[in-house]
Amino acid sequence: MTTDVDPAEMRQAYSKQITRRYIMIAIVTLILLISFFVDVATGPGKYPLSTVFDVFTDPMSHGVRLKVIVWDYRLPIAVTAVLVGALLAVAGAQMQTILNNPLAEPFTLGVSAAASFGASLAIVLGFSVIPGVGPFLVTVNAFVFALLTCGFILFATRLKGVGSETMILFGIAIFFTFNALLALMQYMASEDQIARIVFWMMGSLSRASWGKISLGTLLLCIAIPFSLYRTWPMTALRMGEETAESMGVDVGRLRIEMLICVSLLAATAVSFVGTVGFIGLVGPHIARLLVGEDQRFFVPLSALVGALVLSLTSLISKSITPGIIYPIGIITALIGVPVFVSIILSTRRERLS
Amino acid sequence: MTLSISNLSAGYSGHTVLEDINVPIMEGGTFIGLIGPNASGKSTLFKTLAGLIKPMSGSVKINDEDITNLKRKDRSRRVAYMPQAFGCNALLTVFESVLLALKQTSGWRVKSDNLDRVSDTLNALGLSHLASRGIADLSGGQAQMVAVAQTLVRAPEVILLDEPTSALDLHHQLSIMTSIQTEVGRRKPVVMAALHDLNLAAKFCDRLVLLRDGKVLADGLPADILSLPVIGETYRVETDLEKTHRGALYVDARLRA
């Protein structure tokens, strides 16, 4: 029954698997680049891809009008889609690992709901948690509330007897609490304010700006090396807390470090674009199906898949009805969920082959 | 290399499990069986030896060095502990799961010699045919053997195995115990394994330590320990120690009338 496998053969099988993973990352990167360029080339003004590419390489090649359309309007949106997708997916991937729960992501843990409440507080009462932020009032409020919620989750994981199921229950409790508070805000709001709140909650990429993009990029440039440095302990954590601990991983400290990192990512992403559920879930899930859970590949690929999904969403949001850009939160849910479910159902058999 | 436990008391937040444990000098190259009924403190002892629980008093020493003074990295390089529970749904292959155990203490990059170590370990335990199988698809027994592989691959000075044979069939019990015995002879670590099967313990171990209610009741050669009346008392059975015609020790146990 036991057939012996030559050690050299075993090594070769592993090396092959690693090569396959690099190829997978390369393929997804390529698709992401294509999606990004098509996203930039798509819009109400129908310019050929070559023209857009010209403006991309030399801003003034086709006049000021095109420079403004491409550089000030389309590019920030396309870049934000990629960036926020990556931020949300990395946040989701790490939350799932540290909380040992495949359902964990900024949306299910109530971070998005908290951000929405923060935003509505700014819209309705003009109340700022950090004074003197001026035009960034809504974004800053959303960020602070998202961060506070992550802090609460962090605190909750330190409590005795809080397992991974309890964490999701905490998330649901946070979700409902902030939804109730949000409803209260809406009740107090004027019609105009309600419209702004609803628009914020639906999630939109139109709030993109180069300032936000640089901040998000900076965070991602810190977060990815930070995670990669902890890749072996994080992979060990997937074997269970006790096993990881027995291998010498300081599980408590690892959790705190990662959760702080992830909180910043999630809060930033959510405060930039509003409520976009599902990216934090779909990115890591697809990545896991493609490369397994060796975190060296899992984290970067989660980021790429998240970026790709949100980039495609951005593309779809302007392609359905010409001239209208639908909120991305609606698109991710309506189109993404069925696609996601079919992916899970069709691949759950041959996961690691 | 020696491991020794002196006047050790340990437990969880105020509740003492182990009381004044003494296990003098355990030499490298010794296979020690830790025996005792359920809830006698075996797992707690392992966790304390592995440094996961701080002793309330007393000490655990590797070559006269107190383990509480060792840095976490250093300690996990020298002491490997296999907890009882194994089983998870991570999407990792058997090869990867053994590699990750090795990578906790051997730098970030996967080097060629890491891969050699992993394949050699899997080979030695007769697990090479499972190398590219997902760990979520393993049977209970296979998972247990992979857990042993995760411990052995790190080539530590002290190996603590919490019930390494509890889920294995007869063939695999013998084969895993033989592999551990070979490792003991080859690299000379101190191996301590919690075992419920006294005959298996008699067959493979060089020394037995009997634990009950957090105290060491006996410590010595298997033939001496297993013939003590305290064995019957501890397990609440009648026992006789016999020798088979091949010279192996056999514990004949019956429920008390």
Side-chain angles (χ1 to χ4, degrees):
Chain A
M1 159 209 108
T2 307
T3 43
D4 259 340
V5 179
D6 182 33
E9 220 172 294
M10 240 189 288
R11 283 194 47 164
Q12 220 165 36
Y14 178 74
S15 307
K16 253 196 193 148
Q17 198 182 26
I18 297 296
T19 315
R20 244 194 331 258
R21 288 175 183 172
Y22 278 118
I23 294 174
M24 206 65 89
I25 287 186
I27 293 175
V28 176
T29 310
L30 191 68
I31 304 177
L32 174 62
L33 279 175
I34 297 172
S35 161
F36 173 77
F37 280 113
V38 175
D39 188 18
V40 176
T42 312
K46 297 205 184 324
Y47 305 102
L49 198 57
S50 58
T51 314
V52 174
F53 197 78
D54 283 345
V55 180
F56 188 69
T57 47
D58 174 13
M60 297 306 284
S61 59
H62 289 266
V64 178
R65 190 180 137 79
L66 262 163
K67 183 212 162 248
V68 170
I69 288 177
V70 173
W71 278 90
D72 298 348
Y73 186 69
R74 289 188 187 178
L75 260 181
I77 288 182
V79 174
T80 303
V82 169
L83 192 64
V84 167
L87 288 171
L88 285 173
V90 170
Q94 307 289 29
M95 281 176 172
Q96 287 164 23
T97 304
I98 39 181
L99 301 177
N100 188 25
N101 195 316
L103 292 177
E105 65 137 332
F107 187 74
T108 48
L109 289 176
V111 178
S112 302
S116 298
F117 171 69
S120 70
L121 209 58
I123 293 168
V124 178
L125 301 179
F127 171 77
S128 173
V129 233
I130 296 173
V133 289
F136 301 113
L137 183 64
V138 178
T139 309
V140 168
N141 259 17
F143 179 81
V144 170
F145 272 88
L147 207 57
L148 285 177
T149 305
C150 291
F152 177 75
I153 293 167
L154 182 67
F155 167 74
T157 57
R158 304 292 290 164
L159 293 178
K160 247 193 152 159
V162 174
S164 63
E165 301 85 9
T166 324
M167 279 319 306
I168 293 295
L169 290 178
F170 264 124
I172 292 171
I174 297 171
F175 182 81
F176 277 106
T177 309
F178 280 112
N179 263 10
L181 289 171
L182 186 63
L184 184 68
M185 280 297 123
Q186 285 173 315
Y187 183 72
M188 292 160 62
S190 68
E191 255 175 58
D192 171 53
Q193 288 167 337
I194 287 182
R196 284 179 63 198
I197 293 174
V198 169
F199 184 66
W200 198 92
M201 281 171 57
M202 283 176 185
S204 168
L205 292 169
S206 60
R207 294 185 280 269
S209 77
W210 286 113
K212 288 178 182 175
I213 288 170
S214 350
L215 179 62
T217 313
L218 181 72
L219 273 173
L220 205 59
C221 287
I222 296 169
I224 290 202
F226 185 85
S227 312
L228 285 180
Y229 179 70
R230 287 159 182 76
T231 163
W232 290 109
M234 286 291 277
T235 312
L237 197 52
R238 288 297 295 126
M239 300 290 305
E241 192 171 328
E242 202 186 5
T243 303
E245 194 98 46
S246 77
M247 288 176 180
V249 177
D250 191 340
V251 175
R253 194 172 136 188
L254 181 67
R255 279 221 169 101
I256 292 184
E257 289 173 348
M258 289 312 298
L259 209 51
I260 289 173
C261 162
V262 153
S263 303
L264 282 172
L265 300 187
T268 309
V270 170
S271 62
F272 282 6
V273 299
T275 307
V276 181
F278 171 78
I279 303 283
L281 212 56
V282 75
H285 263 88
I286 293 180
R288 197 175 284 131
L289 292 172
L290 293 177
V291 297
E293 294 191 81
D294 181 336
Q295 307 274 323
R296 289 176 298 160
F297 301 95
F298 174 60
V299 174
L301 192 65
S302 294
L304 287 169
V305 173
L308 175 61
V309 172
L310 205 55
S311 177
L312 288 174
T313 305
S314 159
L315 186 55
I316 293 169
S317 71
K318 4 182 209 189
S319 311
I320 302 175
T321 317
I324 293 177
I325 301 178
Y326 288 97
I328 45 167
I330 299 177
I331 311 278
T332 51
L334 280 185
I335 297 177
V337 173
V339 172
F340 180 48
V341 170
S342 64
I343 288 173
I344 296 176
L345 291 180
S346 62
T347 47
R348 105 198 119 124
R349 280 286 135 228
E350 64 230 80
R351 291 176 302 197
L352 270 177
S353 54
Chain B
M1 217 295 300
T2 58
L3 175 71
S4 57
I5 305 171
S6 37
N7 308 103
L8 179 72
S9 296
Y12 310 91
S13 52
H15 146 79
T16 315
V17 178
L18 302 173
E19 266 173 82
D20 202 24
I21 300 260
N22 281 290
V23 183
I25 309 284
M26 294 173 261
E27 293 279 354
T30 323
F31 192 168
I32 298 147
L34 183 62
I35 58 173
N38 295 327
S40 56
K42 298 192 291 293
S43 297
T44 308
L45 178 58
F46 279 158
K47 283 181 191 162
T48 316
L49 295 182
L52 301 184
I53 301 177
K54 280 232 154 65
M56 292 164 169
S57 62
S59 65
V60 179
K61 282 181 178 155
I62 301 180
N63 297 340
D64 299 321
E65 227 179 318
D66 200 310
I67 57 148
T68 46
N69 294 337
L70 291 178
K71 285 211 175 81
R72 180 181 278 267
K73 258 265 158 61
D74 199 22
R75 196 177 58 219
S76 57
R77 191 172 290 137
R78 301 174 70 175
V79 183
Y81 157 59
M82 181 195 94
Q84 229 177 79
F86 181 94
C88 69
N89 50 8
L91 279 181
L92 295 165
T93 62
V94 167
F95 194 95
E96 285 178 295
S97 72
V98 176
L99 178 65
L100 77 86
L102 178 61
K103 291 316 290 174
Q104 298 307 320
T105 48
S106 62
W108 196 86
R109 279 182 63 86
V110 176
K111 289 182 227 95
S112 166
D113 109 86
N114 297 151
L115 300 182
D116 287 338
R117 280 258 287 272
V118 173
S119 33
D120 289 347
T121 307
L122 289 174
N123 223 23
L125 293 175
L127 295 173
S128 45
H129 63 295
L130 296 175
S132 40
R133 186 86 65 86
I135 50 169
D137 303 328
L138 298 177
S139 74
Q142 289 169 333
Q144 196 164 37
M145 291 192 284
V146 171
V148 174
Q150 287 182 320
T151 317
L152 295 189
V153 75
R154 292 154 61 189
E157 296 167 38
V158 178
I159 298 175
L160 308 165
L161 304 166
D162 204 346
E163 300 193 17
T165 56
S166 59
L168 302 180
D169 63 32
L170 193 54
H171 173 86
H172 287 108
Q173 285 182 15
L174 295 173
S175 85
I176 213 94
M177 290 296 275
T178 307
S179 307
I180 296 169
Q181 204 175 35
T182 311
E183 179 77 0
V184 170
R186 194 171 62 89
R187 252 192 350 92
K188 311 277 179 212
V190 172
V191 174
M192 205 178 209
L195 296 165
H196 276 310
D197 186 335
L198 298 183
N199 290 315
L200 205 60
K203 198 178 182 74
F204 288 97
C205 297
D206 307 310
R207 177 172 168 185
L208 292 184
V209 174
L210 174 65
L211 206 63
R212 188 183 65 185
D213 298 331
K215 294 186 188 71
V216 173
L217 297 191
D219 175 4
L221 295 173
D224 298 341
I225 301 295
L226 294 174
S227 58
L228 295 174
V230 71
I231 290 284
E233 275 166 44
T234 302
Y235 286 98
R236 295 183 294 130
V237 290
E238 305 276 346
T239 58
D240 292 301
L241 186 66
E242 291 166 11
K243 235 182 186 146
T244 66
H245 70 279
R246 286 179 190 276
L249 294 173
Y250 175 71
V251 181
D252 182 28
R254 303 166 303 279
L255 275 183
R256 286 174 177 170

